[in-house]
Amino acid sequence: MDAVRRTLAKLLYEKSYIEGEITLTSGKKSDYYFDCKQTALHPEGAWCIGTLFLDLLRDVDVQGVGGMTLGADPLVSSVTVLSHLAGRPLPGFIVRKEAKGHGTGRYLEGLGNFAPGMKVAMLEDVVTTGGTLIKACERVRDAGLEIVAVCTILDREEGGRENLARAGYDLLPVFTRAELLSAAKA
């Protein structure tokens, strides 16, 4: 897995890591931005992300994966496809930002592949404060699923892990910012 981690770090650094002042979703100012979608939508990047998320979940009793649209869409897709190839099929779901205004009116898409009480992992590209992720977790719990893991590609180490812990979730990151920069430059 070390080689996959190094490859992903280099891709993330080249395609997704941007230095310069930016305003984050949380409203905070930052001296860097992490646009994970650039890497998650790259063929090798998607493979690396799916492989590393599956590795994080190898010892977790999980029956599916999901996350908040739009950032988690490619993450969920890569994990579901690679899980099938690995012989451990994990269906996926996507959490909408707003309930669907027509049809079923649901917050979650893909629930037809799940039964109430199934154990799932939440996937996220970047965690800063964890606020958006906690809201998504509440919607997943309200839909009757049990969250047993919360995984992210990058933990910015800006309070998200602690906020998630207060909400009852342990964060499993592929990288912290320091780890990403170190691995990318190795």
Side-chain angles (χ1 to χ4, degrees):
M1 279 307 133
D2 286 342
V4 177
R5 232 173 107 75
R6 281 191 304 277
T7 299
L8 180 59
K10 289 181 189 316
L11 284 168
L12 289 168
Y13 189 74
E14 291 169 9
K15 298 186 171 299
S16 298
Y17 186 82
I18 304 161
E19 291 189 344
E21 189 172 315
I22 190 93
T23 302
L24 304 172
T25 304
S26 64
K28 293 175 65 174
K29 297 279 187 198
S30 176
D31 63 347
Y32 76 100
Y33 182 65
F34 187 72
D35 183 5
C36 186
K37 287 178 279 308
Q38 301 309 311
T39 302
L41 293 169
H42 180 274
E44 188 176 20
W47 179 83
C48 289
I49 288 167
T51 298
L52 291 169
F53 274 152
L54 284 173
D55 186 57
L56 283 176
L57 296 170
R58 74 181 171 279
D59 297 325
V60 179
D61 181 17
V62 64
Q63 299 165 300
V65 297
M68 180 70 88
T69 200
L70 178 71
D73 293 3
L75 312 179
V76 171
S77 293
S78 67
V79 171
T80 59
V81 169
L82 291 178
S83 72
H84 173 76
L85 293 173
R88 184 189 178 195
L90 299 173
F93 62 88
I94 299 297
V95 182
R96 291 175 170 273
K97 293 183 191 316
E98 300 296 329
K100 191 173 179 181
H102 60 283
T104 61
R106 294 184 184 154
Y107 274 109
L108 271 65
E109 294 297 335
L111 278 180
N113 296 313
F114 293 86
M118 285 180 73
K119 297 176 180 179
V120 299
M122 293 294 288
L123 308 179
E124 181 69 287
D125 54 359
V126 182
V127 171
T128 303
T129 65
T132 301
L133 186 52
I134 291 169
K135 185 183 296 184
C137 288
E138 290 168 1
R139 291 179 179 159
V140 171
R141 278 196 333 257
D142 290 347
L145 301 176
E146 180 186 350
I147 300 167
V148 296
V150 176
C151 305
T152 188
I153 297 170
L154 179 69
D155 175 5
R156 290 178 58 105
E157 298 183 294
E158 296 181 24
R161 178 187 297 265
E162 295 78 9
N163 290 335
L164 285 160
R166 280 190 287 279
Y169 306 108
D170 290 324
L171 183 63
L172 303 173
V174 174
F175 297 105
T176 63
R177 179 186 185 189
E179 290 169 344
L180 173 61
L181 294 177
S182 175
K185 295 175 181 179

